[in-house]
Amino acid sequence: MYDITMWRHIFKLDPAKFISDDDLEALCMSNTDAIIIGGTDYVTEDNVIHLMSRVRRYPLPLALEVSNVESVMPGFDYYFIPTVMNSEDTLYHNGMLLKVLKQYGHVIDFSEVIFEGYLVLNSESKVAKRTYSNTQLDLEDVEAYAQMTNELYHFPVMYIEYSGKYGEIEKVKAISQMLTQTQLFYGGGITNLSEAREMSSIADTIIVGDAVYSDIKNALKTVKIKESNK
Ligand code: 1GP
């Protein structure tokens, strides 16, 4: 088992998107702390198993971020299960979880399951639309969500999801200041090292997704945040 609390940098790969062998090797050998496989659309058993077997050639932790029941399978080190705290549809709070537990509850090793309190903040993102998230949140709202996560639900991870857009620093800071126990993941719009540095000075762990597909060179440079002390 790995110590997730030590992770500062993660690449998130979308099983529905193409990545060359060379780019995949560069990502896996980059000194990132882990790879997460996850996406919103067209996440299938086939494309997840294919990408999993390609990443498995490399010696780094691999997690599946569960977005539907069909694509859950054994073979990952961890299963990140999001509960979208600002979703207006209970399916994304615990409805999906109910389905998963009914089907797989008897075989799940819960030491591999990490429950993420998700806060979706980019109204334009696919994930916001899919999960019917209420993204119209002010500072007081996001602080209350952070408090809920840290003090009441005691989630191990809170994930601020700006998917596709660089986040509002003030909100990320406000959330970070409320978290004393819960680990803060930040993902969204990180395209270069200076953005990576800025977000990783606030969040415990940053996640780089899209940049892998749009500008691999700069995406790889974001791992350099690990060279500096926080
Ligand atoms: C997406 O938070 C991740 O789930 C990363 O976001 O794709 O914008 O880097 P980007």
Side-chain angles (χ1 to χ4, degrees):
M1 275 285 126
Y2 300 94
D3 184 358
I4 290 179
T5 64
M6 301 301 288
W7 293 358
R8 294 184 57 204
H9 184 284
I10 301 173
F11 281 122
K12 192 188 273 189
L13 300 181
D14 187 336
K17 292 187 182 162
F18 169 79
I19 183 145
S20 70
D21 285 343
D22 287 351
D23 286 357
L24 189 65
E25 173 156 341
L27 294 168
C28 293
M29 303 303 279
S30 67
N31 195 34
T32 186
D33 292 303
I35 302 281
I36 292 179
I37 292 181
T40 305
D41 289 332
Y42 312 112
V43 178
T44 66
E45 190 179 7
D46 271 4
N47 59 25
V48 170
I49 204 165
H50 183 64
L51 187 54
M52 173 178 76
S53 61
R54 292 175 69 204
V55 177
R56 273 302 191 207
R57 292 183 209 140
Y58 302 97
L60 81 172
L62 177 61
L64 177 69
E65 189 165 74
V66 176
S67 54
N68 61 46
V69 183
E70 302 75 56
S71 60
V72 178
M73 65 189 68
F76 287 87
D77 297 308
Y78 292 105
Y79 297 83
F80 286 104
I81 304 200
T83 180
V84 182
M85 304 175 77
N86 58 331
S87 168
E88 288 174 347
D89 184 340
T90 55
L91 181 67
Y92 301 99
H93 284 263
N94 61 26
M96 192 105 67
L97 203 53
L98 182 69
K99 284 189 194 173
V100 172
L101 291 177
K102 279 165 72 179
Q103 202 166 336
Y104 299 109
H106 59 294
V107 288
I108 292 176
D109 175 351
F110 285 95
S111 68
E112 296 172 351
V113 176
I114 312 289
F115 206 31
E116 303 172 306
Y118 237 71
L119 203 57
V120 176
L121 292 176
N122 174 9
S123 60
E124 298 303 309
S125 62
K126 273 191 283 183
V127 59
K129 289 175 184 158
R130 170 68 55 83
T131 60
Y132 305 100
S133 288
N134 171 18
T135 57
Q136 300 308 308
L137 303 176
D138 61 22
L139 271 187
E140 283 183 3
D141 292 318
V142 299
E143 278 172 357
Y145 274 119
Q147 203 166 33
M148 207 184 286
T149 309
N150 189 75
E151 308 288 349
L152 299 172
Y153 284 119
H154 301 291
F155 288 146
V157 168
M158 179 169 183
Y159 193 130
I160 304 181
E161 174 64 287
Y162 272 95
S163 183
K165 174 184 162 190
Y166 194 66
E168 296 146 286
I169 295 294
E170 215 189 354
K171 285 188 183 163
V172 183
K173 270 192 184 152
I175 290 170
S176 161
Q177 281 162 5
M178 303 301 289
L179 302 181
T180 54
Q181 304 291 324
T182 298
Q183 183 174 353
L184 181 57
F185 280 22
Y186 170 86
I190 295 177
T191 58
N192 58 45
L193 179 57
S194 79
E195 289 167 349
R197 282 212 172 106
E198 182 172 48
M199 280 306 178
S200 82
S201 73
I202 309 167
D204 298 304
T205 312
I206 61 163
I207 290 94
V208 177
D210 261 5
V212 162
Y213 301 96
S214 57
D215 182 354
I216 183 81
K217 263 186 155 178
N218 274 307
L220 286 166
K221 285 186 189 155
T222 61
V223 183
K224 289 192 179 163
I225 58 146
K226 294 185 65 192
E227 289 166 14
S228 55
N229 288 325
K230 207 179 156 188

